[in-house]
Amino acid sequence: MKRLIFSFFSVIVSWYNFAQNNNFATQKDTTHLDEIQIIGRHKLSHYRQEKTLSSIDDYLEKANKITMIKRGNYAWEPTLNNMASERLNITIDGMQIFGACTDKMDPITSYVDVSNLDNVNIGSGQSGNENGHCIGGSIDLKLPDSKFYESGLKTSVDLGYETNGNYKISGLDLEYSGKSFYFNLDGIFRKSDNYKSGNNQEVLYSQFQKYNLSLQTGIKVSENHSIDANIIYDKANDVGYPALPMDVSLAEAVITSLSHNYSNNSNFIKTLESKLYFNSITHIMDDSKRPDVPIRMDMPGWSNTFGFYSKAQVSTNKHHSSFNLNGYYNQSLAEMTMYPNNSNEPDMFMHTWPDIRTLNTGFFVKDIYQINSNAAITNSARLSYQNNRIAKEEGLESLKIFYPDIEANKSRILTSIVSVYNFKKEQYSYSFGLGYGSRAPSVSEGYAFYIFNSYDNFDYIGNPNLKNEKALEVNFSSSMHKNNFHIGIEASYFRISDYIIGDIDPTISPMTIGANGVKLHKSLDYATIFDIYLNSSYQLSSKFSVNGTIGYNYGKASNRKYLPFIKPLSYLAEINYSTQKFNAAIQLTGNGNQSQYSSFYGENKTPAYALLNCNLGNAFDYNNNKIVLKYGIENLLDTKYSTFADWNGILRQGRNFYINLSFILK
């Protein structure tokens, strides 16, 4: 297999045009992370989409620096620059939204679908600091802009089926666009049974069912002013998590917003957008469908967020500046009730998140200065105030067992600054950036009370006294174009001070039956994370192209232990054929051995693997309408494998045949 991989790579001598790497409608994004286009129902006319009804998780996983941690077949947790969600800022159209699950079974990306979105903006490191503070970067799931296109009424119907897991997908989109009014109503339904890994082995508790409804509407008040309203309702139930001891009976979200938009290209202020929003999440874990449970538990959680932002863009001769004043108020509450098998014993109840109230407000500024026709420098900074308050008195008293001197309120000042120099000529370009930023501990890191982590088999307790985590970042990228050849390299380095991670406290007894012990969240002196990716492509002819990428990642802490979930050597190689009405591609992708793993944090050595995939597509015109057919085979050789990012080593899907059919009616 290794000879096959390296011989295949020897054929791959270049990568598609660097600018095109932002759009998944044409190819995989393995080079540029600034923006990834997610194609929704309203854009299915672009038939080159590899798999039109893929989940958001599938799309995000195609980016170089993003990896999805999988606990099952649904709701994967995104990591960026080898950092998980607590070090990222994940938003929906700039709106802050926080999961309600203490076990991270409901990342923000699980509460929207491709039918809701227009694109995804990804900011690496401190370049993602506009909507909130982060260390690893940001993922902003962008809703469509106002649509006063005067295109009338349009409809699309989407159907999909995948053999592995008997996975069924259906979607409907209805859109009207006039001169001063528009609306878009869409819905999508997904249902899957247990999937099978390689060699036809069933993975139990991997089923799920989800539906998503969205309504977007707007009114143009005048030539330059419009008002938009959005509401998204997302509900998943009967969601199994084979890597965890519990499943999810309900994950439900209501996401609403009302915004005012102003635009005028002839004025000093080019655009002004102000938004009010509210979102509410309910998440219920239970183990009622698991056999032989030592003690049955219910674990509901709730998260409610109110927020606002006001963004402005201004331009002068050589300066293009943007400003963002934003804030939010969040309530996070989670409970656990244990029901002993002996009916004579009383039920046991506690708050795992003791009703944490978070108030955050901040100001962001960004300026792009055009030095000359080839060079520009981008500077941005953010300053925020954050206050956390423990609202439940019993929760405060519980944490005082471990931290006797803590108070209910904790205030912090957060800062972020980054500067990037860009140079671009006709055949080559490069950039160099420096950044510094800080973040506050997450709700779990600061206030968790006996949250069980099945990955390392420890109970976790938060630490309200944690310092802000701080990071110094250096990044570099360079690319060269010549005729049909392109090659690019990008790298980033993070030195993170007061790195927050769990550490064993042998003096505390665990509460979970069978747990190895208890870990308290503490701050290590520092941790370092490094990644580098090489991308190339070559356009063989107007129809044929080849492309490939290879990446390496490294992470280690001051305690001389490797950091968990650091991606090993990875690679991707692809041959594409494309005409106006037909496209096809064959792809080889995989990882090397995960030799730099950390058993202290629950990791095991993961062997190398390689997958072969094939996808095809056709487009047909019929009476001014369009039919788009996408079909293919994933894991063609039915490889049985597990990756470094699979929680507790759960097996991934084996061979899978899929077909997506879309009708776009004009």
Side-chain angles (χ1 to χ4, degrees), residues 28 52 73 133 222-223 273 319 370 474 550:
K28 285 181 173 292
T52 50
N73 198 25
H133 290 274
S222 66
E223 183 64 27
E273 178 189 5
H319 289 271
Q370 196 70 40
V474 181
I550 187 167

Side-chain angles (χ1 to χ4, degrees), residues 51 53-58 61 68-77 105 107 110 113 162-169 190-197 202-210 236-244 246-248 290 634 641 645-647 650-654 656:
K51 189 178 176 184
L53 293 175
S54 287
S55 67
I56 293 173
D57 298 339
D58 288 322
E61 198 170 35
M68 308 300 288
I69 298 175
K70 299 188 179 183
R71 297 169 174 87
N73 198 25
Y74 178 76
W76 307 340
E77 179 191 0
M105 299 157 88
S110 69
D113 213 307
E162 301 185 17
T163 57
N164 198 331
N166 190 31
Y167 185 17
K168 298 175 283 290
I169 314 163
R190 299 176 182 270
K191 181 177 175 59
S192 175
D193 301 332
N194 291 335
Y195 69 83
K196 294 182 180 179
S197 66
E202 184 178 9
V203 179
L204 298 177
Y205 311 111
S206 59
Q207 81 289 342
F208 71 89
Q209 176 175 286
K210 162 187 171 138
N237 52 25
D238 189 26
V239 183
Y241 287 87
L244 300 174
M246 303 187 75
D247 300 313
V248 171
R290 296 295 181 99
E634 297 171 319
Y641 74 108
D646 295 319
W647 200 263
I650 61 167
L651 294 171
R652 293 208 179 186
Q653 280 195 348
N656 180 41

Side-chain angles (χ1 to χ4, degrees), residues 108-391:
I108 306 311
T109 48
S110 69
Y111 288 116
V112 288
D113 213 307
V114 289
S115 57
N116 309 143
L117 304 180
D118 195 45
N119 58 67
V120 174
N121 290 338
I122 298 179
S124 179
Q126 292 306 310
S127 295
N129 63 7
E130 177 176 354
N131 298 314
H133 290 274
C134 57
I135 297 295
S138 68
I139 301 174
D140 188 25
L141 307 165
K142 295 290 293 181
L143 301 177
D145 294 329
S146 302
K147 299 188 237 182
F148 303 105
Y149 302 145
E150 300 183 56
S151 55
L153 187 65
K154 293 182 179 180
T155 305
S156 66
V157 179
D158 311 304
L159 300 170
Y161 181 75
E162 301 185 17
T163 57
N164 198 331
N166 190 31
Y167 185 17
K168 298 175 283 290
I169 314 163
S170 58
L172 175 67
D173 182 273
L174 182 64
E175 177 184 303
Y176 172 80
S177 177
K179 184 177 182 180
S180 58
F181 172 76
Y182 78 90
F183 77 87
N184 182 266
L185 177 65
D186 63 71
I188 192 164
F189 175 78
R190 299 176 182 270
K191 181 177 175 59
S192 175
D193 301 332
N194 291 335
Y195 69 83
K196 294 182 180 179
S197 66
N199 295 333
N200 208 35
Q201 180 178 333
E202 184 178 9
V203 179
L204 298 177
Y205 311 111
S206 59
Q207 81 289 342
F208 71 89
Q209 176 175 286
K210 162 187 171 138
Y211 62 85
N212 178 284
L213 299 171
S214 172
L215 174 64
Q216 180 187 22
T217 186
I219 299 173
K220 181 172 284 190
V221 180
S222 66
E223 183 64 27
N224 304 115
H225 296 268
S226 65
I227 296 175
D228 297 87
N230 287 275
I231 182 168
I232 297 173
Y233 178 72
D234 189 278
K235 182 178 180 180
N237 52 25
D238 189 26
V239 183
Y241 287 87
L244 300 174
M246 303 187 75
D247 300 313
V248 171
S249 59
L250 177 67
E252 184 178 42
V254 178
I255 303 165
T256 64
S257 67
L258 180 68
S259 60
H260 168 262
N261 294 279
Y262 166 83
S263 62
N264 191 335
N265 289 329
S266 62
N267 280 7
F268 173 69
I269 298 178
K270 302 299 181 183
T271 64
L272 178 64
E273 178 189 5
S274 298
K275 177 176 289 188
L276 295 172
Y277 63 86
F278 168 73
N279 53 71
S280 178
I281 292 178
T282 300
H283 189 274
I284 301 176
M285 290 185 284
D286 74 84
D287 53 10
S288 59
K289 294 187 177 182
R290 296 295 181 99
D292 304 322
V293 177
I295 183 169
R296 198 175 75 79
M297 293 184 290
D298 288 333
M299 296 180 64
W302 300 269
S303 175
N304 300 302
T305 306
F306 298 86
F308 77 94
Y309 68 72
S310 186
K311 302 179 181 181
Q313 292 186 353
V314 301
S315 294
T316 59
N317 290 333
K318 289 190 174 184
H319 289 271
H320 303 277
S321 303
S322 57
F323 306 88
N324 187 343
L325 174 66
N326 54 34
Y328 67 85
Y329 179 80
N330 172 258
Q331 176 195 25
S332 291
L333 173 65
E335 302 171 351
M336 179 172 66
T337 304
M338 293 179 283
Y339 305 95
N341 295 326
N342 188 342
S343 59
N344 295 325
E345 297 181 12
D347 296 343
M348 292 177 285
F349 173 86
M350 66 180 182
H351 287 105
T352 49
W353 283 347
D355 197 0
I356 306 303
R357 309 293 178 93
T358 301
L359 174 67
N360 182 293
T361 183
F363 182 71
F364 166 85
V365 59
K366 177 181 178 180
D367 179 71
I368 303 174
Y369 175 65
Q370 196 70 40
I371 300 172
N372 53 47
S373 60
N374 300 119
I377 187 167
T378 302
N379 299 305
S380 67
R382 180 178 177 84
L383 179 66
S384 295
Y385 166 81
Q386 179 166 310
N387 176 267
N388 293 107
R389 179 170 65 90
I390 306 173

Side-chain angles (χ1 to χ4, degrees), residues 414-545:
L414 304 172
T415 58
S416 174
I417 187 169
V418 63
S419 182
V420 181
Y421 175 80
N422 293 279
F423 183 87
K424 184 176 182 180
K425 275 198 169 182
E426 185 175 337
Q427 292 187 339
Y428 68 94
S429 63
Y430 66 88
S431 70
F432 177 79
L434 289 172
Y436 172 84
S438 60
R439 73 164 182 102
S442 67
V443 171
S444 285
E445 291 170 333
Y447 303 97
F449 192 73
Y450 281 101
I451 293 177
F452 178 63
N453 185 331
S454 64
Y455 193 75
D456 60 8
N457 206 46
F458 278 82
D459 283 334
Y460 276 70
I461 295 174
N463 183 353
N465 298 322
L466 287 169
K467 299 177 182 178
N468 292 343
E469 196 175 78
K470 300 165 280 290
L472 178 65
E473 170 195 350
V474 181
N475 57 74
F476 170 79
S477 68
S478 180
S479 63
M480 183 186 71
H481 311 264
K482 189 170 183 180
N483 299 325
N484 294 326
F485 172 75
H486 166 78
I487 188 168
I489 188 171
E490 58 178 340
S492 58
Y493 171 83
F494 298 85
R495 183 181 172 90
I496 306 171
S497 303
D498 297 315
Y499 186 84
I500 301 172
I501 201 163
D503 194 23
I504 298 173
D505 190 325
T507 66
I508 306 175
S509 299
M511 184 172 294
T512 302
I513 297 174
N516 293 336
V518 174
K519 287 185 178 182
L520 298 182
H521 282 101
K522 296 182 179 180
S523 296
L524 300 179
D525 288 341
Y526 66 89
T528 57
I529 296 176
F530 171 75
D531 63 71
I532 185 168
Y533 288 88
L534 177 67
N535 310 282
S536 61
S537 74
Y538 189 74
Q539 192 74 34
L540 298 170
S541 67
S542 60
K543 297 178 181 179
F544 280 100
S545 64

Side-chain angles (χ1 to χ4, degrees), residues 563-581:
L563 298 178
F565 295 110
I566 300 297
K567 191 175 185 178
L569 183 74
S570 60
Y571 56 86
L572 179 148
E574 192 172 44
I575 300 175
N576 297 275
Y577 173 82
S578 179
T579 66
Q580 187 174 1
K581 297 295 182 180

Side-chain angles (χ1 to χ4, degrees), residues 401-419:
I401 297 172
F402 309 103
Y403 311 101
D405 298 329
I406 65 167
E407 297 181 355
N409 284 276
K410 178 75 171 180
S411 296
R412 302 171 185 270
I413 299 296
L414 304 172
T415 58
S416 174
I417 187 169
V418 63
S419 182

